[in-house]
Amino acid sequence: EIVLTQSPGTLSLSPGERATLSCRASQSVSSNYLAWYQQKPGQAPRLLIYGASSRATAIPDRFSGSGSGTDFTFTISRLEPEDCAVYYCQQYGYPLKGITFGGGTRVEIK
Amino acid sequence: QVQLVESGGGVVQPGRSLRLSCVASGFTFPSYGMHWVRQAPGKGLEWVGVISDDGKNKYYADSVKGRFTISRDNSKHTLSLQMNSLRADDTAVYYCARDLLGFSGGWYVPTDYWGQGILVTVSS
């Protein structure tokens, strides 16, 4: 099973700043099959990015993903107050070696 | 609009069984793989399992393999999760979620629509 380690655990930034989140895999994620989700308190997760860098439908372009192999990055170019949430990465590489989520990064807005 | 509504949660004793249901609407249910994902209180997300659009293929997390069974009734637009031999560490909010792509006989995995979640508490 591929283990995903997200860092930092918590990120505290001001509106308008850039947020950079990391997701590191214990093994190479084939075909860059990595997704990012946003979860706000009391809500279900929301898909933001799939295939490491493709934005899901209706996701603003200030959200972006990049990376390959074992190192992936999620960026919010200009933080807005509503971006306060926990962000999770998920790998789904093929052939399947389990489908796993990272432990999450909490983004706080100062 | 796409809607997924879970039901069947509650409090159950360790070792007992529980069946969750998820009724789908607003999209062509028979065309999509469907997933279950859970979240223990105050913890992160854990993927549980997936079933293909036609119900013929399934894949489970090691933590639930042999205890949980996913099934679907495409005529009723309903997804189910049969949970047997429940343990305290199965306590979680369970979400059903739609696969991003309509992938015949399989799945892609990223999930674009989620239900509101249903709480399952395993406790004596």
Side-chain angles (χ1 to χ4, degrees):
Chain A
E1 180 178 281
I2 297 178
V3 176
L4 299 178
T5 301
Q6 292 189 241
S7 61
T10 301
L11 197 54
S12 184
L13 295 167
S14 299
E17 289 193 300
R18 182 184 190 88
T20 303
L21 285 61
S22 172
C23 177
R24 181 160 291 175
S26 59
Q27 305 171 45
S28 182
V29 177
S30 62
S31 303
N32 294 336
Y33 279 171
L34 189 110
W36 291 90
Y37 296 82
Q38 174 194 67
Q39 187 179 33
K40 296 181 179 180
Q43 295 185 16
R46 173 192 180 197
L47 177 66
L48 301 176
I49 301 288
Y50 63 95
S53 61
S54 297
R55 267 187 299 276
T57 302
I59 300 304
D61 61 7
R62 57 198 181 81
F63 295 104
S64 64
S66 63
S68 63
T70 60
D71 289 304
F72 297 87
T73 300
F74 174 77
T75 302
I76 308 173
S77 60
R78 298 172 307 279
L79 272 171
E80 297 189 3
E82 61 263 32
D83 298 335
C84 181
V86 179
Y87 293 81
Y88 295 94
C89 57
Q90 177 195 39
Q91 69 79 25
Y92 49 102
Y94 188 85
L96 289 172
K97 299 179 183 178
I99 296 171
T100 51
F101 286 95
T105 290
R106 183 178 305 276
V107 173
E108 298 177 344
I109 309 298
K110 292 179 183 176
Chain B
Q1 70 281 19
V2 173
Q3 277 198 307
L4 298 168
V5 180
E6 301 97 339
S7 62
V11 180
V12 60
Q13 293 179 328
R16 303 298 290 265
S17 298
L18 197 65
R19 187 178 184 89
L20 304 183
S21 295
C22 169
V23 176
S25 60
F27 67 101
T28 308
F29 180 74
S31 295
Y32 287 84
M34 296 294 297
H35 301 253
W36 287 99
V37 178
R38 68 184 181 182
Q39 187 169 33
K43 302 297 184 182
L45 301 171
E46 181 184 13
W47 179 84
V48 172
V50 61
I51 186 168
S52 61
D53 58 339
D54 56 11
K56 293 181 179 178
N57 297 302
K58 305 172 190 181
Y59 184 62
Y60 298 95
D62 287 345
S63 58
V64 306
K65 199 175 299 182
R67 300 188 300 124
F68 288 13
T69 301
I70 300 174
S71 60
R72 64 191 296 161
D73 184 337
N74 282 345
S75 68
K76 296 181 179 178
H77 284 212
T78 300
L79 174 74
S80 297
L81 179 66
Q82 177 67 40
M83 303 183 291
N84 299 332
S85 304
L86 282 161
R87 311 185 302 222
D89 62 359
D90 294 317
T91 294
V93 172
Y94 285 75
Y95 296 97
C96 64
R98 188 187 84 165
D99 200 86
L100 175 64
L101 301 180
F103 195 112
S104 180
W107 45 79
Y108 180 50
V109 176
T111 43
D112 59 349
Y113 287 96
W114 296 61
Q116 83 286 356
I118 191 83
L119 179 62
V120 172
T121 302
V122 183
S123 173
S124 54

